[in-house]
Amino acid sequence: MAGKAFTVDVVTPEAIIWSGEADFVSARTTEGEIGILGDHESTMAALATGAVEIHGTDGVTTTVGIHGGFLQIFQNQVTLLTDRAEITEGGRDEAMRLAEELRALEESDL
């Protein structure tokens, strides 16, 4: 999928989990799935626990399991702010499992 590239940052309070150029991002918001291409309109949304797929301009797809947070799109910059996130090698199903583990971990911290 070759489109206009944009910058993506996945950020937790501890670190930047992933940062780079992408031409497509797919994420779950509390309102449903969102697909992001270059020149997407400015958007702010609450993220649901789940998998985020980042299709890098280098042809590599990175899957990140996240536990909630917020998504901001502004001037070809996508920022995902989340309490907990982890990159997984196992694809979307593995990221969903990981996101559920992150949610259980947070609930046990309460």
Side-chain angles (χ1 to χ4, degrees):
M1 178 175 304
K4 181 174 181 177
F6 53 92
T7 304
V8 179
D9 293 314
V10 180
V11 182
T12 69
E14 291 80 31
I16 297 173
I17 301 299
W18 194 92
S19 182
E21 294 290 314
D23 52 28
F24 182 72
V25 172
S26 174
R28 275 181 53 198
T29 71
T30 56
E31 300 297 317
E33 287 282 329
I34 185 170
I36 304 162
L37 294 169
D39 291 330
H40 194 286
E41 68 182 47
S42 295
T43 302
M44 191 98 174
L47 289 167
T49 296
V52 174
E53 290 183 344
I54 304 166
H55 298 259
T57 55
D58 59 0
V60 175
T61 299
T62 302
T63 307
V64 182
I66 64 162
H67 175 64
F70 294 94
L71 165 76
Q72 178 184 6
I73 306 167
F74 184 71
Q75 296 181 345
N76 281 320
Q77 168 71 43
V78 176
T79 305
L80 296 101
L81 302 169
T82 182
D83 286 335
R84 296 193 173 142
E86 192 169 323
I87 294 175
T88 178
E89 301 293 323
R92 192 168 186 83
D93 290 340
E94 177 66 15
M96 290 297 291
R97 184 196 61 74
L98 180 60
E100 291 302 324
E101 285 180 12
L102 292 172
R103 180 188 351 229
L105 180 61
E106 183 170 282
E107 289 173 358
S108 71
D109 289 345
L110 298 178

